Amino acid sequence: MIEYENLGLLNKPFEEDYQKEFVQLLDKGWYILGNKVKEFEDSFASYCNTNFCVGVASGLDALMLSLKQANFSPKNEVIVPSNTYIATILSILQCGLKPILVEPDIRTYNINPDRIEEKISPKTKAIMIVHLYGKPCEMDKIISITNKHNLLLIEDCAQSHGASYKKKRVGSFGIGAFSFYPTKNLGALGDAGAITTNDEQLADKFRYLRNYGSKVRYENEYVGYNSRLDEIQAAFLSVKLKHLDTINEHKRKLAQLYLNELKDDFIKPVVEPDCFDVYHIFNIRHPKRDDLKDYLLRNGIKTEIHYPIPPHQQKAMQEILKGEYPITEEIHKTTLSLPISYGHTIDDICKVIEILNKY
């Protein structure tokens, strides 16, 4: 059986370094906002080519705090892609703001820049883009729109650690919100997240907001939250960050096998010269997706669907997200994610290709 993902296998190469970090941390006895968090923040900011990084508890918190710091009025609007994972939209709702959905480009699955301006109103205050599946958005057009309409730009980089657009890393165009959920290319061994920015005052405000609105103990400058990246996850992330480029290159090599060898019966990810994709997810599309998934499972290959139900069709969103989104529905109805882990070998992927091409 070729699994879709095996986190134990994926993390095996880092096990010895994880154990060393854990023992040191246990001996030191400092578990919250210590040197390990600071070390990771500095390293990850440098990796993303940003001036600052602030560690938080999760990717959702990173998105929420990116909005909270702006103090928008209730019911102000935030542009967001209609086919994103639900966390992106939840962050907007949890801040008392209104998500305005924009359909994706059917080729890239990222927000279609040519459809953004028709959704902008006097209430629009921000654009929250998502670099979905590890592919960067079309940033030149998006930045032009944010500048023209004076909008805050937030990048949901949860699936795109190390991806770049025209050689500029994601998370460095606006405020970058990252998740380090265990399955990500840079995954922790639990929940973790971070925010990147080039604005020193903004980074300082994030440090307050993540820690009850306080930087000096018992002195609270803001109405804050408890959203701190803990020392142990920061230590583990620092170990893996040293190998992130290797992880990304391995996934890109496996992706190239799929791109070269899979029959054209399957709709494969588009490759663009301006984009350095990191393939957190390698998705194909097929009109008989469910049958294809069952066929692969019968032949010893596990796959996933990202995502089976679009946000506007979720029960929790029925009264919130109005409108018709046919492109989004087409993607969610036909998409299938193939194995592409750091734990997979070239032989694994060749086997998947062989079986797929027989379908």
Side-chain angles (χ1 to χ4, degrees):
M1 177 69 70
I2 297 176
E3 298 183 74
Y4 178 75
E5 182 73 276
N6 183 324
L7 292 177
L9 186 63
L10 185 154
N11 283 297
K12 196 70 177 174
F14 318 117
E15 187 175 313
E16 188 175 334
D17 288 335
Y18 285 159
Q19 289 175 346
K20 287 178 184 176
E21 291 289 346
F22 180 74
V23 170
Q24 290 175 13
L25 208 63
L26 206 58
D27 289 343
K28 189 173 183 181
W30 190 313
Y31 309 130
I32 303 290
L33 294 184
N35 290 337
K36 293 299 181 182
V37 169
K38 181 66 166 62
E39 288 171 11
F40 173 71
E41 288 174 336
D42 290 346
S43 297
F44 194 63
S46 177
Y47 182 85
C48 294
N49 295 320
T50 60
N51 293 332
F52 306 98
C53 168
V54 178
V56 295
S58 69
L60 176 57
D61 283 2
L63 291 166
M64 285 175 56
L65 295 184
S66 297
L67 285 169
K68 282 286 186 182
Q69 60 79 28
N71 295 318
F72 293 136
S73 299
K75 304 304 180 185
N76 277 154
E77 297 173 353
V78 179
I79 300 287
V80 65
S82 55
N83 63 315
T84 184
Y85 180 57
I86 200 69
T88 322
I89 292 168
L90 287 176
S91 72
I92 299 168
L93 294 171
Q94 294 290 358
C95 292
L97 304 170
K98 183 178 180 180
I100 302 297
L101 305 187
V102 173
E103 286 262 69
D105 183 330
I106 191 65
R107 300 177 315 108
T108 67
Y109 314 126
N110 283 331
I111 193 168
N112 187 338
D114 296 331
R115 304 189 69 163
I116 291 176
E117 285 196 280
E118 66 192 50
K119 294 293 186 79
I120 293 175
S121 78
K123 292 182 179 180
T124 307
K125 298 298 178 183
I127 297 178
M128 186 176 280
I129 62 169
V130 183
H131 304 293
L132 199 66
Y133 304 151
K135 172 176 281 297
C137 293
E138 197 172 347
M139 294 311 302
D140 286 348
K141 288 184 178 181
I142 291 168
I143 289 170
S144 176
I145 292 167
T146 59
N147 290 341
K148 178 180 175 181
H149 296 276
N150 192 30
L151 302 175
L152 177 68
L153 174 61
I154 300 171
E155 301 174 69
D156 184 338
C157 305
Q159 300 185 4
S160 57
H161 316 109
S164 59
Y165 177 80
K166 293 186 175 179
K167 299 185 178 179
K168 182 175 170 66
R169 285 260 165 89
V170 301
S172 65
F173 294 91
I175 298 173
F178 289 84
S179 165
F180 303 120
Y181 186 76
T183 58
K184 308 300 186 187
N185 288 24
L186 180 58
L189 302 190
D191 269 322
I195 307 169
T196 53
T197 178
N198 288 315
D199 186 321
E200 184 173 10
Q201 289 184 319
L202 196 52
D204 204 44
K205 190 170 184 180
F206 287 135
R207 294 186 192 104
Y208 277 102
L209 289 173
R210 74 177 174 185
N211 189 40
Y212 301 102
S214 170
K215 271 183 37 175
V216 177
R217 198 175 187 190
Y218 303 130
E219 294 181 15
N220 302 83
E221 188 162 332
Y222 299 99
V223 177
Y225 307 85
N226 177 10
S227 180
R228 300 171 299 206
L229 174 63
D230 67 65
E231 285 285 280
I232 191 167
Q233 297 302 341
F236 292 158
L237 286 166
S238 289
V239 167
K240 195 177 279 188
L241 179 59
K242 296 171 186 174
H243 304 275
L244 179 55
D245 286 342
T246 301
I247 292 169
N248 286 343
E249 280 305 320
H250 181 73
K251 288 168 75 78
R252 283 173 56 81
K253 185 182 293 184
L254 300 184
Q256 198 59 53
L257 277 173
Y258 281 132
L259 292 167
N260 290 345
E261 303 299 331
L262 270 184
K263 292 195 302 187
D264 290 337
D265 298 24
F266 310 103
I267 301 172
K268 294 174 276 190
V270 66
V271 177
E272 299 171 305
D274 289 336
C275 294
F276 183 86
D277 301 336
V278 294
Y279 297 102
H280 165 59
I281 289 168
F282 189 95
N283 79 303
I284 59 172
R285 289 199 300 113
H286 194 277
K288 296 182 178 178
R289 186 269 314 280
D290 293 341
D291 184 67
L292 177 60
K293 181 176 174 62
D294 289 343
Y295 162 79
L296 289 169
L297 187 58
R298 290 196 305 272
N299 283 275
I301 296 167
K302 292 184 178 180
T303 57
E304 291 287 344
I305 299 173
H306 298 92
Y307 303 96
I309 305 173
H312 70 281
Q313 292 182 341
Q314 295 286 353
K315 183 178 179 182
M317 300 292 163
Q318 293 288 305
E319 301 303 316
I320 298 169
L321 304 177
K322 303 291 188 180
E324 297 182 359
Y325 305 97
I327 297 173
T328 292
E329 291 177 17
E330 177 65 18
I331 292 169
H332 286 254
K333 190 167 56 179
T334 58
T335 190
L336 186 67
S337 302
L338 303 180
I340 188 164
S341 169
Y342 187 56
H344 287 122
T345 65
I346 288 176
D347 286 345
D348 289 334
I349 303 312
C350 287
K351 181 67 174 175
V352 176
I353 292 168
E354 179 188 350
I355 292 170
L356 265 169
N357 283 341
K358 291 178 180 177
Y359 180 71

